């Protein structure tokens, strides 16, 4: 399979290290640890999701691990991501703690959650975490094009993923081009703009035209840009709805209309405001 390509069934993207990432994942940012998180992950696995995205900073890795165990879905069928909290010092030690909370031997993807304290300092530790077998793939999150260049200059192997806020209203063209040049897969989080993008007039017009919901249109737009996408919901019916994005296509005209909506005013950046 060609590196960077999407598999023939449209379900996974081939990363630069040869590993495959399912195109749709459930994200559990802002889902409280405990029943809300266990249920969301359990429903997602029942409904066919095979990709779950958590982080040390979310405080809910334990619930993700529990839902995975309870689901009966074989471990090797599910792609699990967690992220290094960069307020801590040692990505290797923190990966060990994540694996303990998740009750796993290995995660599929381990990301530097954001470039706190500089873009490159954590990268050697991330590479060591992969070499130790704690993660099959390693990458970054919330890195701009220039931060990506800094980490590539510092490391022996480039990150295979940069997970950023990405949607048609945050269409980071220059960042996605920079990722493409470097063989890095851009992965989208908050594809619904944490819900705000659902009421956009153009999104709504396209949704009515194609007979789908605004959420499905926004998620499908990512897929048609070959961007793996993490969606978040704690409601079973929405988790289900958000997975129904492989059986329809947006036309060239739909895509062109959605492609004009960027509001970032600086598309090489990963975010408009830092939180650290
Ligand atoms: P909830 O978790 O209460 O279902 P994003 O993925 O951009 O971060 O957006 C997540 C937000 O969008 C959450 O508040 C979630 O609410 C809401 N959401 C997720 N899926 C849908 C959907 N299909 N329809 C409406 N709102 C949704």
């Amino acid at each position: 399979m060609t590196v960077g390509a999407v598999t023939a069934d449209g379900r996974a993207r081939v990363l630069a290290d040869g590993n495959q990432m399912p195109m749709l994942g459930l994200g559990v940012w802002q889902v409280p640890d405990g029943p809300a998180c266990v249920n969301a992950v359990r429903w997602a696995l029942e409904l066919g999701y095979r990709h779950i995205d958590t982080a040390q900073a979310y405080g809910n890795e334990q619930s993700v691990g529990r839902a995975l165990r309870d689901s009966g879905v074989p471990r090797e069928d599910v792609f699990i991501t967690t992220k290094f909290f960069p307020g801590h010092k040692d990505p290797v030690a923190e990966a060990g703690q994540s694996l303990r909370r998740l009750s796993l031997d290995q995660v599929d993807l381990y990301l530097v959650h954001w470039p706190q304290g500089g873009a490159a300092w954590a990268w050697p530790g991330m590479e060591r975490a992969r070499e130790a077998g704690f993660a099959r793939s390693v990458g970054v999150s919330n890195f701009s094009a220039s931060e990506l260049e800094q980490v590539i200059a510092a490391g022996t192997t480039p990150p295979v993923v940069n997970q950023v806020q990405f949607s048609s209203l945050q269409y980071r063209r220059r960042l996605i081009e920079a990722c493409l040049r470097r063989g890095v897969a851009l992965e989208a989080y908050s594809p619904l703009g944490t819900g705000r993008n659902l009421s956009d007039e153009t999104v709504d017009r396209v949704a009515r035209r194609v007979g789908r919901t605004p959420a499905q249109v926004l998620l499908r737009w990512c897929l048609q840009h070959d961007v793996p996408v993490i969606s978040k919901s704690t409601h079973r019916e929405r988790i289900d709805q958000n997975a129904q994005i492989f059986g329809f296509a947006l036309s060239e005209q739909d895509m062109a209309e959605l492609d004009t909506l960027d509001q970032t005013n600086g598309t090489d950046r990963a975010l408009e405001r830092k939180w650290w």
Side-chain angles (χ1 to χ4, degrees):
M1 215 38 236
T2 317
V3 160
V6 173
T7 53
D9 63 1
R11 295 282 176 156
R13 169 119 183 211
V14 183
L15 304 177
D17 57 13
N19 292 329
Q20 293 191 11
M21 166 190 266
M23 290 297 284
L24 174 68
L26 179 84
V28 293
W29 177 45
Q30 292 183 328
V31 183
D33 201 29
C37 185
V38 175
N39 283 336
V41 175
R42 188 164 50 84
W43 291 330
L45 293 169
E46 279 171 20
L47 292 163
Y49 287 66
R50 290 295 178 266
H51 176 177
I52 309 292
D53 182 279
T54 183
Q56 292 161 0
Y58 303 167
N60 54 21
E61 289 171 311
Q62 223 158 345
S63 297
V64 170
R66 161 132 187 245
L68 179 60
R69 276 195 313 285
D70 292 354
S71 73
V73 178
R75 163 67 188 101
E76 60 275 17
D77 292 356
V78 187
F79 188 99
I80 303 282
T81 299
T82 197
K83 310 186 193 80
F84 169 60
F85 172 66
H88 287 149
K89 294 260 174 309
D90 181 0
V92 182
E94 298 305 325
Q97 295 297 324
S98 281
L99 293 176
R100 191 183 50 73
R101 288 186 291 268
L102 287 158
S103 293
L104 296 177
D105 298 329
Q106 186 180 56
V107 290
D108 296 278
L109 180 62
Y110 189 39
L111 304 175
V112 180
H113 206 155
W114 57 81
Q116 181 174 330
W121 71 267
W123 193 246
M126 299 297 287
E127 293 186 304
R128 281 198 303 280
R130 190 197 53 225
E131 284 154 17
F134 291 173
R136 294 174 70 221
S137 297
V138 286
V140 296
S141 182
N142 297 301
F143 275 47
S144 67
S146 74
E147 286 158 342
L148 200 57
E149 288 305 320
Q150 288 169 49
V151 78
I152 289 171
T156 52
T157 50
V160 297
V161 166
N162 185 18
Q163 186 189 104
V164 298
Q165 192 197 5
F166 189 80
S167 84
S168 58
L169 284 87
Q170 289 83 27
Y171 183 16
R172 305 181 189 281
R173 283 169 194 265
R174 282 165 58 205
L175 183 55
I176 202 169
E177 282 162 16
C179 286
L180 200 63
R181 271 199 303 278
R182 292 303 205 159
V184 178
L186 185 142
E187 181 187 15
Y189 75 74
S190 291
L192 314 182
T194 62
R196 285 191 309 278
N197 297 350
L198 294 168
S199 52
D200 179 84
E201 267 178 35
T202 303
V203 173
D204 189 56
R205 185 173 63 245
V206 173
R208 277 187 278 114
R209 195 191 292 154
V210 299
R212 298 283 170 157
T213 67
Q216 289 171 325
V217 164
L218 287 162
L219 294 167
R220 180 73 205 179
W221 178 87
C222 289
L223 296 190
Q224 289 187 217
H225 278 292
D226 290 349
V227 168
V229 61
I230 301 297
S231 78
K232 178 260 170 185
S233 175
T234 49
H235 295 91
R236 189 185 167 107
E237 63 283 7
R238 288 177 175 173
I239 294 172
D240 191 13
Q241 181 195 122
N242 296 349
Q244 308 307 317
I245 54 172
F246 294 94
F248 76 103
L250 298 168
S251 68
E252 264 178 46
Q253 186 195 336
D254 299 330
M255 289 298 284
E257 287 179 28
L258 295 164
D259 282 353
T260 63
L261 302 181
D262 175 60
Q263 299 178 344
T264 60
N265 196 27
T267 66
D268 60 329
R269 292 181 308 196
L271 33 107
E272 281 55 73
R273 244 170 285 113
K274 288 186 180 176
W275 59 81
W276 64 92

